[in-house]
Amino acid sequence: MRPEALNPLFAEVETLEGVGPKLKKPLTRLRLERIRDVAFHLPERFVSRRPVANIDEAGEGEQIVIALTAVEHRASRSSRGPYRVLARDDAGNVIALTYFGRASYTARKQLPVGEKRWVAGRLERYGDMLQIVHPDHVLEDGGASLGHLTEPVYRLSEGLTQPLLAKLVAQALERTPDLPEWIDPAEVVRERWPDWRDALHLAHRGEHPAARDRLAYDEMLANSLALMLVRADNRARRGTPLTGDGRLRAKLALPFPLTGAQQRSIAEIEGDLAQATPMLRLLQGDVGAGKTVVALEAMLIAAEAGAQAALLAPTEILARQHFETLRRMAAPTGARVEILTGRGSSRSGGKVREATLMGLVDGSVDILVGTHAIFQEQVAYRNLALVVIDEQHRFGVSQRLMLAGKGKRAPHVLAMTATPIPRTLQLADYGELDVSKLDEMPPGRQPIDTRVVGIERMEDVIAGVARHLEGGQQAYWVCPMVRESEEGDTAAAEARFAALRERFGDRVVLVHGQLAPEAKDAAMERFASGHAKLLVATTVIEVGVDVPAATLMVIEQAERFGLAQLHQLRGRVGRGAEKSACLLLRSDVLSEVARDRLKLMRETQDGFRLAEEDLRLRGGGELLGTRQSGETLFRIANLEQIARLLPTAHDDARLLMEHGGGLEGPRGEAVRLLLYLFERDAGVRTLRGG
Ligand code: ADP
Ligand code: MG
């Protein structure tokens, strides 16, 4: 399937010299699994350092190379605390070399007391002491070579060092083949872009905007092409036209009237469903705008037409909650709603699962709710005609493409998202999808009183939570996000849970991603039913959870979260008639951008404004906080490049598809390579299969 020319790039990282089981883990954590991934792991930035004779010559924040002699090793009392090596420079100044976690083992080896070493890194102030945290280099000699050298700085995970990763990158680059040009040649000339292979080498070697732009452009071009191929394929396929007679919907007894925006969206969906061309529609509505009811109406239309509908949720918690909501709402209609999750057999019992599977085959199940398990091979439907995907942004592109490619008759697809997406990003994410907008909130919502509170006031915060619970209300407590590690998130949540439990007893429950599904369910259930009053959680509750009686949200280390994510979290409260509040706890040291972001959270509750500002504040940073949750659309292109280059890539893709012969001819061949290179090859396949 994959063109042979790409084989060297898709070899596993273990084929690199020096990579064994020990390095495999930290590499996997960075999602560096193949040679290609390593080659595409571009430097975050470059450093050049100044050699200084002693620290009096250096400024705070400066990158320096300095000769130091270790005088004392100091392990911290707690295992989580830092490991410090105190060292002296030539002038007798003392400076600390600070290590966290396992890095302390390296320090013990590299910095024997009494011996001189060349140390390279960033000089910082810590209290009244100067320090270098995790020096980039510690060498016995060759200090001079470290000065004036420009070095790439890569994103690392625990167990990796810069020199180590640099060596792997060098090997990966050696194995990169020459590939034919897939970009329109006129474009390459106009932009003065290097060839693909050269661009890759240059991008690792130093600041080289043209090289980086080219690689980003490649990625966006692949993305646009894939979306177009899928779209074209979708247009060419037949779905089942679904016309409802309204008999089920008439029996719905909603406790509220639909908003105008909900009615409009439902009408748009109804129009699409009646067509033989499969629907591909995005339902966009801010947190709390009421997307679930819209989904229900759509699924009831399918049921009225004698077909089945499935709702795909990103997490088990959310699937369960949707199941309960939908089942309750749909009860008066008589439509049968069931659930299927990955671990169904152990939790709902084999018999129940069996019955659900049977019901899907014989058509008696009208609406199925579940996680991705609902698309496993063993799950057969009698007549699946509509798929609703909740919190669409949580699913990777490949899943989206796969979905669109499944089944003889293509199902209608309704994708729902609460992430307000600026227009350029929407193009990146969905191409030219049809969009329905819920731009009107259900009436009666009260603004959420949002406050930023310093971490030093923890006691006050806990007292506030106590008052809140005493008053009979419920609250969420979201724990800090630890960079790069789910285990870290869990540890933080468990520690906080233990502390809060001492104070509040069994009114507190804990939910995180590594709990057994049964335990997760039980905790959620206790909270949703009001038995538990305080839910301590990692960001697993970020999306979708709906407990209207919860009216206080506490978020620890709020500065670590992206704006969009904070917005999602805050959206868990303010859902009922009661006044709600959100406390953003911040650390004592904040960057200016972090400060601005928290300020913005206080000022506005408008998801679109937050998304636009997030984009502006982060510039070339992450994509709406999604990178933290491990789901990125692009690995190379950053926001700034997307905004600048995506429209051209999109046009280039369209031109190629409409007038350039698509995937035929020499450029078509090159473009196929491109699609495989970025694993957008589902596009190639749908075209061949169709
Ligand atoms: P989201 O768009 O975030 O998925 P939900 O569908 O969970 O939002 O709805 C949020 C809350 O608003 C739910 O408790 C739901 O019952 C309620 N709701 C939905 N539509 C309306 C409406 N038209 N009027 C009043 N409340 C509504
Ligand atoms: Mg929702």
Side-chain angles (χ1 to χ4, degrees), residues 229-248:
L229 287 165
V230 170
R231 187 88 169 115
D233 175 64
N234 193 62
R235 283 215 179 90
R237 287 165 75 187
R238 283 185 60 83
T240 314
L242 302 172
T243 321
D245 55 10
R247 67 175 197 286
L248 298 179

Side-chain angles (χ1 to χ4, degrees), residues 285-292 318 322 390-391 416-418 543-546 572 575:
D286 209 342
V287 198
K291 293 182 289 296
T292 317
L318 206 51
H322 272 316
D390 192 23
E391 307 298 347
M416 309 200 289
T417 181
V543 287
V545 172
D546 184 32
R572 298 305 112 222
R575 308 193 134 226

Side-chain angles (χ1 to χ4, degrees), residues 350-492:
K351 283 226 182 71
V352 179
R353 185 186 172 86
E354 241 0 84
T356 301
L357 290 174
M358 286 293 296
L360 288 171
V361 174
D362 69 22
S364 60
V365 172
D366 300 295
I367 294 173
L368 180 69
V369 179
T371 53
H372 56 277
I374 65 179
F375 293 110
Q376 274 159 9
E377 300 296 325
Q378 348 41 311
V379 184
Y381 298 81
R382 174 148 189 271
N383 186 5
L384 177 66
L386 168 64
V387 175
V388 180
I389 311 177
D390 192 23
E391 307 298 347
Q392 162 83 5
H393 67 287
R394 275 294 182 111
F395 294 94
V397 188
S398 54
Q399 259 164 311
R400 260 173 250 163
L401 299 181
M402 177 203 76
L403 257 187
K406 198 173 159 121
K408 272 179 240 87
R409 286 230 166 193
H412 297 281
V413 175
L414 177 66
M416 309 200 289
T417 181
T419 306
I421 315 168
R423 217 200 98 61
T424 34
L425 294 187
Q426 187 171 312
L427 201 60
D429 236 341
Y430 305 108
E432 288 146 343
L433 216 61
D434 299 318
V435 178
S436 294
K437 275 201 177 129
L438 293 182
D439 48 12
E440 180 188 348
M441 279 290 174
R445 292 283 160 81
Q446 299 195 41
I448 300 164
D449 182 10
T450 303
R451 299 189 189 175
V452 180
V453 181
I455 189 72
E456 70 281 357
R457 291 183 46 204
M458 182 58 98
E459 281 307 311
D460 297 345
V461 172
I462 293 181
V465 171
R467 279 195 302 279
H468 189 82
L469 302 192
E470 243 84 88
Q473 304 197 56
Q474 289 172 282
Y476 295 98
W477 189 298
V478 176
C479 290
M481 190 149 60
V482 179
R483 267 188 110 188
E484 317 269 356
S485 113
E486 205 181 76
E487 294 109 66
D489 289 358
T490 304

Side-chain angles (χ1 to χ4, degrees), residues 252-280:
L252 263 187
L254 295 176
F256 44 73
L258 295 173
T259 64
Q262 284 170 324
Q263 287 172 14
R264 186 167 20 84
S265 302
I266 293 166
E268 284 162 357
I269 292 164
E270 190 166 14
D272 285 359
L273 290 177
Q275 310 298 315
T277 307
M279 168 171 80
L280 209 49

